[in-house]
């Protein structure tokens, strides 16, 4: 890298399908991850709508219990392992090298292998129904998933799908860690890394330690099913749950850290203020990564753990709310007295804050053991879970998609269609899941294919089903906007949001190799320094405005 002024060299990039399929360029791989995730989102969404139709009225017999369980298993597995995870890995692949000022990921060929292992896993998953669809749930509790209770061979393909895609994700974790450690541009110290890059780098550690737990327990299950070893039938009946949740709870943060990173990029740009408390946000991420492994057993309070164990995991579960709350307060403080502009990315980011915070607060309630005992097998859990991962992670990913679309395509999304899509998604999402809190508090169990006509249950389930179809329409509007704006959208240019980090320095879409030259890096906002050589961040690090206008500079008001 060099200290010369910024100039990006326009280079042509092939869009032929074969070149895309064989590419080792991080941007192409990132977009392929996102495209594959969109396909699986369509499949998982259709499965969810079938289940919501089944539950729309009491006593419905549209699906049998076994068929409903198969839809439930495929939906849960698809959304967690083949939608959210690859979608966020796609953002990581696309954005991390650009933010670090790197030409590519550290191991481009390994990166391509990771992608195709993920795709292969998805294919295996959707081949499984042809050998007897798995019906054991996405958590696949053994010994219920052993051949004695679930004999269909689809379970073996289900296991193979997660093992294969898990290897791909683990390799991606290695790639992210080495890229962040070794390929940062000269001058980009760890303390100057953009927040998305920092959070995805920390996420690499979670991947590296969590995914092997899942791979190991799946291999053990297959040893049981294929060779009759009896690891889960003759030993501790909750052994599976220990392994699974040692992966499963860090998995939640694995799906949320990159989402937080996107939000931490979007809010400062559209508030025209640097993120409030960078150091607190960064170190709280490290604390969360560590604590995510220390809270896993709060998923197991109902299995009869010893009370000191329940007490310890209850306390650690409450503790993790502190670094999480720090992030929420830092985002709000960044917006406070900022010059906030509610563009499409900012609308999705604002919805994320509200919905994720609500999901987080309901999650803390499960740290109280008696409350967990009462609610653990009810729809309250379903509502909480979706508020964190759909209202949180997926809405943050949609914010990131609207934010990066001009960089990816060189064009803006259509504003009118975008706002229609946003409001349909917000109304639809909350229509589906907000009422499920009430259903859970009223005692409706989860994982049931039908239910009796008890007071309130029918109307709340009907509202939830209608909300599901509104949400589906909202996602279709978004899809139409993505496709239409690719050719008809307004030309965006290289820096449409007046951004501060290196991805906005290069052309839109970026050429292979990303940068011809880079500017000197003296602060966390190299493009601010480049645009304001008389007011660079490292020369004026303390940004408090003595006139009572918060931390916003006068020249940043009105997005000038």
């Amino acid at each position: 890298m060099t200290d010369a002024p910024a100039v990006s060299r326009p280079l042509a990039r092939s869009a032929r399908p074969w070149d895309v399929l064989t590419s080792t360029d991080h941007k192409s791989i990132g977009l392929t991850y996102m495209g594959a995730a969109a396909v699986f989102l369509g499949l998982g969404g259709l499965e969810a709508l079938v289940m919501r139709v089944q539950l729309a009225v009491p006593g419905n017999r549209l699906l049998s219990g076994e068929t409903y369980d198969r839809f439930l298993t495929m939906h849960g597995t698809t959304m967690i392992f083949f939608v959210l995870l690859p979608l966020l890995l796609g953002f990581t692949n696309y954005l991390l090298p650009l933010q670090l000022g790197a030409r590519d990921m550290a191991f481009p060929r390994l990166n391509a292998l990771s992608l195709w292992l993920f795709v292969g896993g998805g294919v295996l998953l959707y081949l499984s129904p042809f050998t007897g669809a798995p019906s054991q749930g996405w958590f696949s509790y053994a010994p219920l998933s052993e051949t004695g209770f679930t004999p269909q061979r689809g379970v073996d393909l289900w296991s193979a799908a997660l093992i294969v895609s898990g290897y791909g994700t683990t390799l991606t974790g290695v790639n992210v860690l080495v890229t962040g450690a070794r390929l940062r541009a000269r001058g980009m110290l760890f303390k100057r890394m953009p927040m998305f890059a920092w959070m995805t780098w920390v996420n690499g550690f979670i991947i590296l330690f969590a995914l092997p737990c899942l791979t190991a327990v799946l291999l053990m299950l297959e040893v049981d099913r294929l060779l009759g070893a009896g690891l889960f039938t003759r030993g501790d009946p909750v052994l599976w749950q220990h392994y699974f949740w040692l992966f499963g709870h860090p998995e939640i943060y694995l799906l949320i850290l990159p989402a937080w990173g996107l939000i931490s990029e979007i809010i400062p740009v559209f508030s025209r203020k640097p993120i409030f408390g960078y150091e607190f946000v960064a170190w709280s991420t490290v604390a969360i990564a560590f604590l995510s492994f220390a809270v896993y057993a709060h998923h197991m309070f109902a299995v009869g753990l010893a009370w000191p164990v329940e007490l310890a995991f209850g306390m650690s579960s409450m503790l993790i709310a502190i670094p999480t709350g720090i992030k929420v307060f830092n985002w709000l403080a960044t917006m406070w007295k900022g010059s906030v502009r509610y563009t499409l990315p900012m609308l999705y980011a604002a919805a994320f804050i509200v919905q994720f915070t609500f999901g987080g607060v309901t999650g803390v309630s499960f740290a109280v053991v008696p409350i967990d005992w009462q609610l653990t097998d009810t729809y309250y859990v379903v509502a909480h879970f979706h508020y964190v991962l759909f209202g949180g992670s997926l809405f943050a990913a949609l914010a990131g998609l609207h934010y990066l679309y001009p960089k990816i395509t060189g064009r803006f999304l259509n504003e009118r269609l975008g706002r229609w899509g946003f409001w349909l998604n917000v109304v639809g999402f909350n229509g589906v899941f907000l009422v499920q809190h009430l259903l859970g508090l009223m005692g409706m169990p989860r994982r049931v294919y039908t239910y009796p006509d008890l007071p309130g249950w029918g109307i709340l389930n009907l509202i939830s089903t209608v909300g599901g179809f509104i949400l589906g329409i909202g996602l279709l509007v978004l899809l139409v906007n993505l496709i239409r704006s690719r050719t008809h959208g307004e030309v965006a240019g290289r820096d449409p949001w007046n951004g501060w980090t290196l991805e906005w320095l290069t052309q839109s879409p970026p050429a292979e190799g990303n940068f011809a030259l880079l500017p000197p890096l003296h602060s966390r906002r190299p493009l601010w320094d480049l645009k304001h050589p008389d007011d660079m961040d490292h020369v004026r690090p303390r940004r408090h405005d003595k006139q009572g206008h918060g931390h916003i500079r006068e020249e940043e008001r009105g997005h000038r």
Side-chain angles (χ1 to χ4, degrees), residues 295 298 312-323 364-365 367-369:
V295 301
H298 76 218
F313 279 98
M315 291 175 65
S316 62
S317 300
M318 288 187 181
L319 197 61
I320 203 169
I322 296 174
V364 172
S365 66
V368 182
V369 177

Side-chain angles (χ1 to χ4, degrees), residues 13 23-34 89-99 102-106 108 111-112 179 510-515:
R13 188 155 60 97
S23 175
T24 58
D25 181 73
H26 70 97
K27 299 178 291 297
S28 178
I29 289 174
L31 294 177
T32 308
Y33 265 117
M34 293 184 204
L89 291 181
F91 280 110
T92 300
N93 266 284
Y94 192 93
L95 195 52
L96 181 63
L98 286 171
Q99 286 201 328
R103 294 178 60 83
D104 208 321
M105 298 289 280
N111 205 23
T179 301
E512 192 167 348
N514 298 337
F515 305 98

